[in-house]
Amino acid sequence: MNIIVLGVVILVYFIMVGYAGYVAWRRTSTSEDYMVAGRKTHPYIMAMSYGATFISTAAIIGFGGMAGVYGMGILWLVFLNILVGIFIAFIFYGKRTRRMGENLSAFTFPEFLARRFKSKFIQYFGGAVIFLGMPLYASVVLIGAARFLESSLKLNFNIALIIMALIVAVYVVMGGIKGVMYTDALQGTIMFLGMIFLVVSVYYMLGGVTSAHETLTSMGHLIPASAKSVGATGWTSMPIPGSPYWWTLFSTIILGVGIGVLAQPQLAVRFMTVESNRELNRGVLIGALFIFVMTWGAYIVGALSNVYFFQEKGLLAIQASGGNADKIIPVFISSAMPEWFTYLFMLTLLSAAMSTLSAQFHVQGTAIGRDVYETLKRGGRSVLITRIGIIIAVILAVILAYILPGSIIAQGTALFFGLCAATFLSVYTCALFWKGITRAGAIAGMVSGATISILWLLLVYKKTATALGLAKLLFGGLLIKTMPWPFVDPILVAVPASMIITILVSLLTEKPDEDHLRECFKGIGGV
């Protein structure tokens, strides 16, 4: 390890990030600046911030590692990321969110829903779900960055966690969402260039695109017997339909994130930071290209790492990483790539982690400051409480990162995305597209979605229910043991149930005020 080169690379990077954060701090003077960037963000900054927030070390390290285990079937997630996470999100959800958020003077996602339905309960309930649930997501992003620093730079895992958390906390506390978005744009650009170089290098190392993929296909017989017994067939083919392996890949890894992205508070608030729909239209191409390169690149590299490890060490990727999928990408980079590239790719991983963590910490802070504290107190020093909330969020994320088990990054990400989808997606969708939804329907949908999702995780979904032990304590085992339910992700149960309950309660309760609806939908057609 060349300490001088490493030191220079890190110093230059943090000078750039620090300058972006400083500029944001100088341009932040009001609550509107701190919460929604004054609603005048440039489309490039908005799109790159959205993409960099969406694609974190969870995508590169966690889901890249899952590709090393499950193979290229995970590429269906790339399709959903672009179709749902960019096109549908920007064109259909984003434009209405931007306009309605401006009509209602909403600064946060829970506040947006609360003002749409004139319900304080929705605001502090939504804020509480975000503040209490997001530390899981933030912690796995921290773990992803720390694992790379541990594997590539031989830095102590615990020290790496603390360093990452402190750096992000400083510029988020000081600069608000402008600090987050300005640094996101810089970090997203670095991520994009780093991933392109990595994919090209991997294909070159393995003899080209055709040779690499043919070799991976020919290794299908090496799939471990334990994986074959639950439905695995190879790294370039889908698992047996209906098998436990297929359900985990399809419902948790692909749908959990591919659909859950629509209800992510830290992403939805980005739509409220631009001045007009024109900025959102311009952001579609930028965002789609960024998401494609980052997700496709990470999954391809993760799957093909099996070829490299088998040719060089006679091991599969999961074996070379000590059985921890979260280490597959870090171990591959440090083993296969030259030292100078390890330093540069470290910036890609740092950027991925810091961009997402900054958004997570900011939205957690606003959840506790704006959505819970200010709502309950009916006014007050929400920016100060937001900053305190950010510090608390950082501490919670670090604590969880210490205690969570291995191979948790992709699973933790999917679980949080699923919880947000269960809580918010049906209500958010109806809020934008259906004037008939009522306050009672919205509350019922949010509470039922969150409750069903949590109960399913605790009592039915095998991976979490077994680990937590509550189902065994209460029922002697899983509440539902019949296939495929123990392997069906909560999102497939909680989201449809939440939507049905939202609609039924809305149809049975008092209709919303027409004057308020006109205010909400002013300038929005087609509803």
Side-chain angles (χ1 to χ4, degrees):
M1 180 187 302
N2 191 319
I3 298 298
I4 295 177
V5 174
L6 176 62
V8 170
V9 169
I10 292 177
L11 179 62
V12 171
Y13 174 75
F14 282 118
I15 287 175
M16 294 167 65
V17 172
Y19 179 73
Y22 171 76
V23 171
W25 174 70
R26 290 294 302 270
R27 296 179 181 180
T28 298
S29 57
T30 67
S31 293
E32 188 173 33
D33 289 334
Y34 198 85
M35 305 284 185
V36 290
R39 304 188 194 275
K40 295 185 182 297
T41 303
H42 189 278
Y44 179 81
I45 292 177
M46 189 281 296
M48 290 302 288
S49 176
Y50 181 97
T53 298
F54 186 7
I55 304 303
S56 65
T57 50
I60 300 172
I61 300 295
F63 285 85
M66 284 293 105
V69 176
Y70 286 90
M72 293 190 178
I74 200 175
L75 289 175
W76 280 105
L77 182 54
V78 179
F79 171 74
L80 281 183
N81 286 158
I82 295 174
L83 175 65
V84 178
I86 297 295
F87 183 75
I88 292 177
F90 276 54
I91 300 300
F92 295 100
Y93 282 73
K95 290 181 178 180
R96 291 174 181 270
T97 301
R98 183 204 68 78
R99 183 67 185 192
M100 193 176 291
E102 185 177 5
N103 290 343
L104 299 174
S105 299
F107 289 170
T108 70
F109 183 63
E111 184 177 46
F112 169 86
L113 294 176
R115 295 194 174 187
R116 166 67 175 86
F117 299 109
K118 302 173 73 172
S119 168
K120 291 293 185 181
F121 173 82
I122 286 178
Q123 187 165 356
Y124 60 72
F125 179 79
V129 169
I130 293 167
F131 187 77
L132 296 175
M134 192 169 280
L136 172 64
Y137 185 21
S139 66
V140 299
V141 174
L142 266 178
I143 290 171
R147 286 298 180 202
F148 181 80
L149 295 176
E150 176 190 41
S151 298
S152 59
L153 305 182
K154 310 306 177 187
L155 186 64
N156 180 272
F157 177 75
N158 298 329
I159 294 175
L161 280 178
I162 299 295
I163 291 174
M164 286 296 304
L166 287 177
I167 291 171
V168 176
V170 168
Y171 70 78
V172 178
V173 169
M174 297 301 295
I177 200 168
K178 280 191 176 181
V180 171
M181 296 185 74
Y182 282 29
T183 53
D184 280 356
L186 168 64
Q187 292 159 344
T189 303
I190 294 172
M191 291 163 61
F192 183 83
L193 297 175
M195 185 56 71
I196 289 178
F197 192 91
L198 176 61
V199 173
V200 171
S201 299
V202 169
Y203 275 128
Y204 177 78
M205 180 192 313
L206 299 180
V209 175
T210 302
S211 175
H213 286 256
E214 287 179 348
T215 303
L216 185 62
T217 300
S218 69
M219 290 171 57
H221 66 284
L222 298 173
I223 288 286
S226 58
K228 287 183 179 179
S229 67
V230 290
T233 59
W235 287 281
T236 57
S237 58
M238 290 294 287
I240 297 172
S243 66
Y245 215 72
W246 183 88
W247 274 108
T248 301
L249 175 64
F250 176 74
S251 71
T252 298
I253 296 177
I254 295 177
L255 287 185
V257 175
I259 301 299
V261 63
L262 284 176
Q264 287 296 293
Q266 72 275 19
L267 299 180
V269 75
R270 296 297 187 274
F271 302 136
M272 294 190 280
T273 66
V274 295
E275 189 172 12
S276 69
N277 288 344
R278 180 175 59 185
E279 281 75 18
L280 289 173
N281 290 334
R282 292 175 177 176
V284 169
L285 180 60
I286 299 170
L289 181 60
F290 177 84
I291 295 296
F292 172 76
V293 168
M294 295 306 301
T295 55
W296 176 83
Y299 306 160
I300 285 291
V301 171
L304 291 177
S305 68
N306 285 285
V307 177
Y308 168 80
F309 284 122
F310 187 73
Q311 291 178 344
E312 296 295 321
K313 301 181 180 182
L315 300 172
L316 301 178
I318 191 66
Q319 296 167 336
S321 62
N324 187 345
D326 296 342
K327 290 186 176 182
I328 289 178
I329 296 295
V331 171
F332 172 75
I333 296 293
S334 59
S335 301
M337 307 303 291
E339 187 177 55
W340 63 266
F341 179 80
T342 301
Y343 298 155
L344 293 181
F345 197 74
M346 177 189 65
L347 300 186
T348 299
L349 269 297
L350 287 176
S351 297
M354 292 172 68
S355 58
T356 301
L357 284 169
S358 60
Q360 292 167 334
F361 293 150
H362 179 266
V363 80
Q364 284 177 271
T366 57
I368 200 68
R370 180 86 176 180
D371 299 319
V372 177
Y373 175 82
E374 188 171 331
T375 301
L376 294 176
K377 290 289 185 179
R378 302 191 183 281
R381 304 172 67 184
S382 62
V383 172
L384 173 62
I385 302 301
T386 293
R387 285 173 165 150
I388 295 173
I390 290 169
I391 295 171
I392 296 173
V394 173
I395 294 171
L396 290 175
V398 172
I399 292 173
L400 276 176
Y402 279 128
I403 63 178
L404 287 173
S407 299
I408 190 61
I409 296 177
Q411 188 80 29
T413 302
L415 290 178
F416 177 73
F417 272 53
L419 175 62
C420 282
T423 306
F424 299 116
L425 185 55
S426 63
V427 176
Y428 180 36
T429 301
C430 291
L432 296 176
F433 298 98
W434 184 36
K435 290 183 179 180
I437 181 175
T438 66
R439 178 193 302 150
I443 293 173
M446 287 180 65
V447 173
S448 64
T451 302
I452 293 169
S453 180
I454 293 171
L455 289 177
W456 196 267
L457 288 171
L458 292 174
L459 304 177
V460 180
Y461 189 59
K462 184 175 181 179
K463 190 173 185 67
T464 52
T466 302
L468 295 172
L470 182 61
K472 184 175 182 180
L473 178 65
L474 296 177
F475 306 106
L478 299 180
L479 181 60
I480 303 175
K481 300 183 178 69
T482 307
M483 275 293 294
W485 300 112
F487 299 94
V488 174
D489 192 83
I491 194 172
L492 293 184
V493 178
V495 172
S498 174
M499 179 63 78
I500 292 170
I501 291 170
T502 299
I503 293 173
L504 287 178
V505 174
S506 294
L507 293 175
L508 296 172
T509 52
E510 184 179 354
K511 301 306 176 189
D513 177 66
E514 288 293 332
D515 290 336
H516 179 64
L517 286 177
R518 279 192 289 271
E519 178 186 0
C520 293
F521 287 93
K522 182 172 60 179
I524 301 175
V527 181

